[in-house]
Amino acid sequence: MDTIDDKIIHLLAENSKLTQQEISERLNISLSACQRRIKTLEQTGVITGYKAIIDPAHLGEGLIVFVLVSMERHNRDGVRAFEAAVSRLPMIKEIYHVAGEYDFILKVAVSDIKQYQNFNYEELANIPGMGKTSSLIALSDRKLDGIRTR
């Protein structure tokens, strides 16, 4: 990878809908060189895919809560069982296994605080191996806010 590849990656990360023609013009390289570079970045796994960024409020998921989870036990089977259980819950959008005071960070998307309260008591609390939790309510998504204002 070189500086042109870095620039291609940054352009696509900012706007994955840019055409290869637009990228080649912005970087002042030929279209064929741009196509070849993008194909190589995809084939080598540097670019793993393209996605639309959806405003969660339009899906009825206007409240984002990050749940910090400490496991009761830290054995491999317990961790796998926990991961499998939370992976089945559609309100959990992202799952991070982390090091430190907590073992997992879960990104939960719900419509409002009442739905989160029900989810917390009826879903999360019943997952085997769940220990201490702490909930952090997101006030805003600065990255998404920046995308909306472009």
Side-chain angles (χ1 to χ4, degrees):
M1 279 190 25
D2 60 15
T3 56
I4 293 175
D5 290 334
D6 285 340
K7 289 176 183 177
I8 290 171
I9 292 166
H10 284 89
L11 286 171
L12 287 172
E14 187 174 298
N15 181 358
S16 66
K17 289 184 75 171
L18 284 175
T19 66
Q20 293 178 348
Q21 180 68 44
E22 291 170 322
I23 294 169
S24 69
E25 289 171 2
R26 288 187 187 191
L27 299 181
N28 199 27
I29 61 174
S30 72
L31 177 58
S32 62
C34 181
Q35 291 169 330
R36 189 171 48 255
R37 284 174 176 272
I38 290 173
K39 185 175 183 178
T40 299
L41 290 168
E42 292 169 344
Q43 290 174 338
T44 58
V46 174
I47 296 175
T48 59
Y50 301 87
K51 67 179 182 177
I53 299 170
I54 310 299
D55 183 343
H58 289 286
L59 302 176
E61 299 174 342
L63 181 68
I64 302 297
V65 182
F66 294 93
V67 182
L68 310 175
V69 177
S70 288
M71 302 288 298
E72 287 178 343
R73 288 176 243 72
H74 296 89
N75 61 43
R76 187 174 311 225
D77 290 339
V79 167
R80 287 183 180 152
F82 176 82
E83 289 172 336
V86 294
S87 294
R88 288 190 291 272
L89 300 174
M91 291 177 186
I92 297 178
K93 304 303 180 184
E94 298 174 22
I95 303 165
Y96 299 94
H97 190 192
V98 297
E101 182 179 350
Y102 291 93
D103 301 304
F104 285 90
I105 299 174
L106 311 176
K107 181 180 178 183
V108 178
V110 292
S111 60
D112 55 29
I113 196 69
K114 178 108 174 120
Q115 187 181 29
Y116 176 69
Q117 183 179 17
N118 291 336
F119 173 76
N120 190 32
Y121 293 141
E122 295 171 19
E123 303 283 346
L124 283 182
N126 294 317
I127 295 174
M130 177 78 78
K132 178 177 84 169
T133 65
S134 182
S135 300
L136 305 171
I137 296 174
L139 300 176
S140 65
D141 180 339
R142 305 317 265 172
K143 183 105 177 177
L144 185 57
D145 290 345
I147 290 170
R148 280 192 219 125
T149 59
R150 286 187 194 149

